[in-house]
């Protein structure tokens, strides 16, 4: 293992087999995390970037088998925030020092291109010094271009799994890995800073699938890579499937840091949900971004992608204070600039 970690630190030229070995070996995790932390410190120092997350609609036309806000999940109380409510969230975030707003939602047909553009223009006009990140799923290229021209800079779209057959086990036939990847290439071509990623331990996932995910990411070369454990959501087809583990998620964070020294890697809410110190452990394994919730408290519980989601009860300011304490206690520093990628 030491030899493989050394390779990951130097030319990063590992075979598929060697990558699989790293992912399957647990007894060298401390050395792996230390190597990842050293690489992250060499590029980003102790900085941890903050993105204010605004979950502005939980309506979704898709029926992804794992997702708690899938269309078929009838128990979900649906909501959408209007433009003013979204701007108010940004205002709160701005006062707390956030310079990146992530507008995330289900694929909600109410938010036509015209409405998305109008929203982005309003945020852009009010917060000219901030980055605007959209995370609203798969769209035609022209739509992505229109949002970009309205002032959006970044787009988060996890590829979920790079393997077609595995993708088909997680989604209905109306959705395909091919189209999801097409979206990512379109976004890059238009000029967005792109974030992709996948769930760790999603049903039917194999180590070979994970290696394919790493290879796909190497081709795409995104600015941000978000991963988190799969966590079963009630009233979904995968409600009784086992969740992804902390150990494998942390190992993947570390491998991603070593393979992508410059990437922005969030210590995700899902990681914090499966372990009380999950996000801090994520930082120690190479993560350098946290995404505190800016959504109004009364809608947080309704945006339940999975069971037991943390941070649903706190006001934005409390979230901010809590994260500051956690990040500092872990030995890092919260930075309140836009947190652009350093290439
Ligand atoms: N509609 C947007 C946002 C999806 S929600 C889009 O299509 O990109 C953001 C991410 O949450 C998803 O990409 C998925 O990777 C993750 N997610 C969804 N359900 C989950 C679950 N049960 N456990 C863990 N992560 C989940």
């Amino acid at each position: 293992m030491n030899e493989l970690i050394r390779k990951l630190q130097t030319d990063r030229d590992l075979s598929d087999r060697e990558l699989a070995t790293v992912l399957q070996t647990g007894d060298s995790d401390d050395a792996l995390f230390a190597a990842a932390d050293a690489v992250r410190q060499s590029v980003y120092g102790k900085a941890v970037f903050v993105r204010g997350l605004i979950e502005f609609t939980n309506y979704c036309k898709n029926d992804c088998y794992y997702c708690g806000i899938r269309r078929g999940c009838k128990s979900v109380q649906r909501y959408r925030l209007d433009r003013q409510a979204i701007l108010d969230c940004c205002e709160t975030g701005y006062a707390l020092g956030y310079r990146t707003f992530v507008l995330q939602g289900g694929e909600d047909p109410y938010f036509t291109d015209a409405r998305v553009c109008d929203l982005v223009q309003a945020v852009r006009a009010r917060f000219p010094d901030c980055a605007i990140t959209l995370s609203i799923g798969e769209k035609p290229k022209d739509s992505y271009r229109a949002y970009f021209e309205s002032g959006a800079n970044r787009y988060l779209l996890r590829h979920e799994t790079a393997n077609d057959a595995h993708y088909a086990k997680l989604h209905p036939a109306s959705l395909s890995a091919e189209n999801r990847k097409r979206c990512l290439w379109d976004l890059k071509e238009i000029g967005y800073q792109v974030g992709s990623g996948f769930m760790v331990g999603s049903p039917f996932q194999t180590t070979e699938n994970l290696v394919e995910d790493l290879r796909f990411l190497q081709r795409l070369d995104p600015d941000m890579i978000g991963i988190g454990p799969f966590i079963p959501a009630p009233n979904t087809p995968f409600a009784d499937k086992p969740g992804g583990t902390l150990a494998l998620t942390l190992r993947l964070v570390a491998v991603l840091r070593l393979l992508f020294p410059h990437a922005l890697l969030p210590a995700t809410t899902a990681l914090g949900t499966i372990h009380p110190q999950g996000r801090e452990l994520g930082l120690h394994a190479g993560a350098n971004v946290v995404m505190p919730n800016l959504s109004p408290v009364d809608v947080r519980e309704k945006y339940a992608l999975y069971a037991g989601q943390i941070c649903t009860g706190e006001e934005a300011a409390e979230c901010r204070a809590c994260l500051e304490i956690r990040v500092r206690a872990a030995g890092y520093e919260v930075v309140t600039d836009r947190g652009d990628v350093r290439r």
Side-chain angles (χ1 to χ4, degrees), residues 66-67 104-105 137 157-158 160 180 199 229-231 305-306:
Y66 45 84
C67 184
Q104 189 179 81
L157 187 82
R158 291 182 176 182
E160 311 296 2
R180 201 136 177 114
M199 288 177 290
F230 160 71
I231 304 173
L305 303 175
Y306 45 77

Side-chain angles (χ1 to χ4, degrees), residues 20 24 71 80 94-95 109 111 139 151-152 155 185 191 207 231 233 238 254 260 268 270 293 319 330 336 343:
Q24 286 170 332
R71 180 186 63 206
R80 55 175 75 91
Y94 195 88
F111 282 100
K139 308 279 178 184
Y155 205 102
W185 293 113
T207 305
I231 304 173
F238 291 166
F260 302 89
T268 53
N293 203 314
C319 259
T336 56
R343 288 268 184 185

Side-chain angles (χ1 to χ4, degrees), residues 272-310:
T273 296
I274 62 164
H275 188 281
Q277 301 289 307
R279 285 169 300 177
E280 290 87 331
L281 293 166
L283 295 176
H284 285 298
N288 64 339
V289 172
V290 287
M291 299 177 67
N293 203 314
L294 272 180
S295 311
V297 172
D298 61 315
V299 304
R300 299 251 186 111
E301 300 244 345
K302 298 177 191 155
Y303 198 85
L305 303 175
Y306 45 77
Q309 194 155 281
I310 53 167

Side-chain angles (χ1 to χ4, degrees), residues 94-155:
Y94 195 88
L96 293 170
Y98 303 164
R99 295 295 176 269
T100 295
F101 303 118
V102 181
L103 306 182
Q104 189 179 81
E107 290 194 21
D108 178 355
Y110 170 85
F111 282 100
T112 56
D113 287 351
R115 288 194 172 110
V116 173
C117 289
D118 174 70
L119 176 62
V120 171
Q121 280 161 18
V123 178
R124 173 54 60 233
R126 175 67 192 83
F127 304 99
D129 57 333
C130 294
I132 302 175
T133 307
L134 291 176
S135 179
I136 53 174
E138 299 174 31
K139 308 279 178 184
K141 187 172 187 181
D142 286 345
S143 305
Y144 288 145
R145 192 177 291 112
Y147 312 154
F148 188 78
E149 283 165 3
S150 296
N153 322 87
R154 303 181 183 150
Y155 205 102

